[in-house]
Amino acid sequence: MKAQENFSAVVNVKTEPTDKIDFNETNIGFSFHKKVSAKNTITNTLEYSNLKVNYEETVFETFAPFKDLNQFNQIQNKIKFSHEVSDKTKLNITVTPTVNFQQNLAISDLTVLGSFELNQQLNPNASITIGAARTTAFGDPKFMPVFSFNYKFNEQSDISIGFPDSRISYANNDRNRFSVTNSFNGNYYNLDTQNDVNYNASKAVLSQMTSAVEYERNVTKNWFLNFKAGYDFNKKYNLIDNDNHKVYDFNTGNGYILGIGIKYKQ
């Protein structure tokens, strides 16, 4: 846990089965962190993710036109700039160009997400973060407020309560960390073609609230393993048109989530 994270590489695999549809995602990311001056830090994170969707045959019986919606891709580059305004105040600005596409990449698939956050230290153990972000927490990109209250009980445990993410963490030693998390998360993908004029769908949109238990193990000095198990609540998988109107709802229902990841950092 003590490794200085100037560079990191991570691979995550997770599965999210529901009654009718199974979602399997693989994510690969690289992050570079540099302190450019006494008060300024820049972090650049490049990520690629691939989402495979497996349907039961009963789904195609009612919605055959979209039988090819079995794979989606995302490439995004998150640039984060942190500035220490004072000893107790920090400003964080992120800009995240992202392309979300089915299979054929086009310039129209590009959009820009980002956030503006102010972190204020209240005392040696407590801080608050407030701001605004353009995010896909509910599927398609939207502007929304973000906030959190952060408290460090001791060297072993801390808590962060807020929106869209909350976390309680405990480390019983330098190698093991246990966490309970809750997050609102989602994504969208531009479709290659409008497969059926009756539906006129242009995007696939997914969203859910995920509650999970995570365990991270510092295997060696630079290598980490992460295991995650939880449940997706209010899970949605919809198709929308160019005006963001819902044209089809797959009614996936809720389901559990299992994930494993490996990370290298130095």
Side-chain angles (χ1 to χ4, degrees):
M1 301 295 179
K2 302 294 186 181
Q4 184 178 3
E5 194 171 348
N6 294 320
F7 165 78
S8 66
V10 62
V11 177
N12 293 303
V13 178
K14 67 178 179 180
T15 181
E16 300 174 86
T18 64
D19 291 339
K20 299 178 182 179
I21 303 175
D22 295 341
F23 301 89
N24 299 287
E25 185 176 51
T26 301
N27 175 275
I28 301 172
F30 302 92
S31 183
F32 302 89
H33 178 88
K34 183 174 180 60
K35 195 171 182 66
V36 294
S37 66
K39 294 187 175 183
N40 299 311
T41 303
I42 293 179
T43 304
N44 190 87
T45 303
L46 176 65
E47 292 184 325
Y48 166 74
S49 63
N50 173 263
L51 176 66
K52 295 186 181 298
V53 186
N54 301 314
Y55 305 83
E56 288 188 356
E57 286 299 322
T58 54
V59 176
F60 297 135
E61 292 175 2
T62 59
F63 204 65
F66 285 89
K67 193 171 184 177
D68 61 337
L69 298 179
N70 57 5
Q71 182 172 240
F72 302 102
N73 299 278
Q74 179 186 63
I75 303 171
Q76 69 174 24
N77 191 75
K78 180 179 180 180
I79 304 168
K80 179 180 179 180
F81 174 76
S82 297
H83 174 68
E84 296 181 12
V85 180
S86 67
D87 292 341
K88 295 184 177 181
T89 306
K90 180 184 289 187
L91 175 66
N92 296 318
I93 299 173
T94 64
V95 179
T96 310
T98 178
V99 285
N100 300 44
F101 57 101
Q102 188 177 353
Q103 293 188 41
N104 300 320
L105 177 61
I107 189 64
S108 58
D109 297 323
L110 174 66
T111 190
V112 178
L113 307 176
S115 65
F116 180 92
E117 298 177 355
L118 196 65
N119 178 270
Q120 179 67 43
Q121 198 73 32
L122 303 177
N123 58 49
N125 295 324
S127 68
I128 58 170
T129 300
I130 58 173
R134 187 172 192 251
T135 174
T136 59
F138 291 114
D140 53 319
K142 293 180 180 179
F143 287 97
M144 61 187 65
V146 294
F147 64 91
S148 65
F149 171 76
N150 316 294
Y151 189 83
K152 186 174 183 179
F153 296 100
N154 48 48
E155 291 298 324
Q156 291 76 37
S157 57
D158 57 77
I159 186 172
S160 177
I161 300 175
F163 173 84
D165 303 312
S166 297
R167 172 184 294 267
I168 302 174
S169 296
Y170 170 74
N172 64 333
N173 56 46
D174 287 344
R175 290 186 175 272
N176 299 316
R177 178 168 291 275
F178 303 87
S179 301
V180 178
T181 64
N182 189 82
S183 63
F184 294 87
N185 57 92
N187 216 337
Y188 77 98
Y189 301 93
N190 293 314
L191 303 183
D192 288 342
T193 56
Q194 296 177 352
N195 303 52
D196 192 294
V197 294
N198 294 325
Y199 290 100
N200 201 33
S202 60
K203 292 180 182 179
V205 178
L206 300 96
S207 64
Q208 59 271 313
M209 183 184 76
T210 304
S211 296
V213 176
E214 298 184 37
Y215 167 62
E216 186 172 75
R217 171 70 176 177
N218 185 189
V219 182
T220 65
K221 179 182 178 181
N222 300 107
W223 290 95
F224 297 76
L225 288 176
N226 178 274
F227 302 92
K228 181 177 183 178
Y231 195 78
D232 285 336
F233 298 90
N234 195 30
K235 189 172 183 65
K236 297 178 181 179
Y237 175 28
N238 300 322
L239 301 177
I240 63 175
D241 61 18
N242 288 322
D243 296 319
N244 291 327
H245 296 143
K246 182 170 65 175
V247 297
Y248 191 81
D249 187 342
F250 283 96
N251 291 312
T252 61
N254 301 326
Y256 63 86
I257 174 175
L258 295 173
I260 184 172
I262 183 170
K263 183 177 184 178
Y264 172 84
K265 65 181 182 180
Q266 65 179 23

